[in-house]
Amino acid sequence: MPIVIMKFGGSCLVNEKAFNRIYEITKLYKDSKKIYVASAFNGITDLLLKTAHSIREQGHSTVDKNIALIEKRHIDVIEQIIPEDTLNYRRAKDWIDTKLSALDDVLADIKEFGLEPYYVDYVTSFGEVLSTYILSEYLQCKGLDAVFIPANKIIITNDNYNNAYPLYDLTNNRIHDKIIPVLETDAKDFIFCITGFIGRNKIGYITTLGRGGSDYTATILARALFDVGKDKDIKVILWKDVDGLLAINPKYVPKSSVIKNIDYSEAKEIANFGAKVLHPKCLEALEKNKIPLEIRNFENPDEKSNFTRISEKTDIKEIKGVSAIEEATIITIISGSMVDIPGVLARIFKEMAKNGISVSLVSQSASEISTSFVIKAEDSQKAISALTNNKYFKDFFRIKYEDVAILNITGSKILENRTKTILFDALDKKGINVKAISQSFEELNLSLVINKNKLIEAIQVIHEELCEDVEIKNLS
Ligand code: ASP
Ligand code: MG
């Protein structure tokens, strides 16, 4: 039987309607074994962090106020979703009581000893411990066989507090001993409710996996289950408040199309360009065993096609992303006399490195007469003065610079000449000049340097020509 690991973020855990939808989703996946990973309720992690950081200055009255607020948020939800006369109701309420008094104790410790890194992780872990337990009690009161598992029982990490990395060998052992025996029984209605975001190090202290880390929890579990379990038919679903990964930030194109099929390398590429929907480390966890991941809209649980699936398969017809760097500077170093001389680029980049400036796009034609490279606009003054004060560059080169925008177009499709023809034709129609261009051998990404004022227009015309839904195009 297939295994599905679903992650429910804070926005899936807000009220009765949302919890009922989780129940509906549970029915939709009745033929799969289910593992649910829950985040903290919206805003709770931030509030916990703020409380931990301010306790020394603000004293206990603010702490009391914040704890009361956390209590109220959780009790309100419990009262909406679990009938009062049930055992589940009483257990959920008791849980909140017990956990919040433990939280109170640790906050007192922080006040006494200071905010050691360990405490930050421990304090923030309460968000998921509260939310996930409530989810498990809710599912139980619906008659399902849900069981609560704090992830620090199964995910073992290094000691890197606030941003811990899983130690897979140790984690696999735990999964093998604690999860597999139950998962591999025939009881398909069994639902594991596992806290997102949390792990523990070898000495037993709670660690956390970085902000937004519940997605990571889901992918770590998938990887470990694949490694040690018999059943290899595993998929991860992240329920989000968007339809999936969008090809273009809606700030540029309000009705940007959803990317339907994307492979791991393309997905990593767009994640690196700031598509905040998914962290690259989640992809890294899945890629090893080629485990598919779906990003789906929580509002539309039974959507048949309009969602993103990340797997080995990609849709070659689709461009996977158009992103932009809005504020960049291109620096060009020109010389007629310095061609075919080794070490010029090394000197340029050494100068940038010395000044802590990171270089993004680099472009030089084979004639070697000029070299252009792009840096963040905020670094431009520093970069220019470093180069102009360097005797070597002053004597033999001309240095030019201009504020520009960079467009990145991502997807295997960019490797085809035909795509570039369409792209340049489209830009040409709008009179948009491409000042510099770069695509490296292995990269599924083409970067274009254009006039800043033309950025939005460029993105829109590229969207029209390359991203609009292929099916829609065929119909019209
Ligand atoms: N609650 C954690 C955070 O807000 C983890 C998560 O939501 O994924 O960062
Ligand atoms: Mg959160």
Side-chain angles (χ1 to χ4, degrees), residues 39-40 45 128 197 211-214:
S39 294
T45 310
E128 272 70 11
F197 187 49
R211 290 308 305 272
S214 300

Side-chain angles (χ1 to χ4, degrees), residues 102 139 147 178 215 233 237 255-256 264 270 305 308 379 467:
L139 293 170
V147 52
K178 296 190 186 298
D215 290 355
D233 183 1
I237 300 178
K255 286 218 161 75
S256 167
Y264 301 103
I270 64 169
S305 75
T308 299
D379 290 333
C467 304

Side-chain angles (χ1 to χ4, degrees), residues 161-201:
Y161 292 116
N162 304 323
N163 209 359
Y165 186 80
L167 302 172
Y168 280 107
D169 286 347
L170 301 176
T171 302
N172 285 359
N173 291 341
R174 288 283 176 116
I175 297 277
H176 180 267
D177 295 347
K178 296 190 186 298
I179 304 288
I180 293 293
V182 189
L183 192 72
E184 289 182 356
T185 63
D186 288 332
K188 67 172 180 188
D189 285 338
F190 217 72
I191 304 171
F192 295 88
C193 297
I194 303 182
T195 55
F197 187 49
I198 306 173
R200 58 158 272 184
N201 62 9

Side-chain angles (χ1 to χ4, degrees), residues 130-163:
L130 296 173
S131 64
T132 311
Y133 188 85
I134 293 174
L135 174 64
S136 71
E137 289 295 339
Y138 166 78
L139 293 170
Q140 279 179 26
C141 88
K142 290 282 185 189
L144 297 158
D145 234 337
V147 52
F148 169 74
I149 301 178
N152 50 310
K153 295 253 185 285
I154 44 178
I155 295 181
I156 315 295
T157 72
N158 65 6
D159 298 328
N160 201 4
Y161 292 116
N162 304 323
N163 209 359

Side-chain angles (χ1 to χ4, degrees), residues 269 273 360-363 409 411 414-415 420 437-447:
E269 200 114 22
F273 281 125
S360 57
L361 176 151
V362 179
S363 172
I409 301 131
I414 206 67
L415 301 175
K420 286 169 199 144
I437 156 174
S438 176
Q439 183 200 332
S440 70
F441 193 52
E442 275 285 313
E443 230 168 313
L444 309 175
N445 177 68
L446 177 75
S447 296

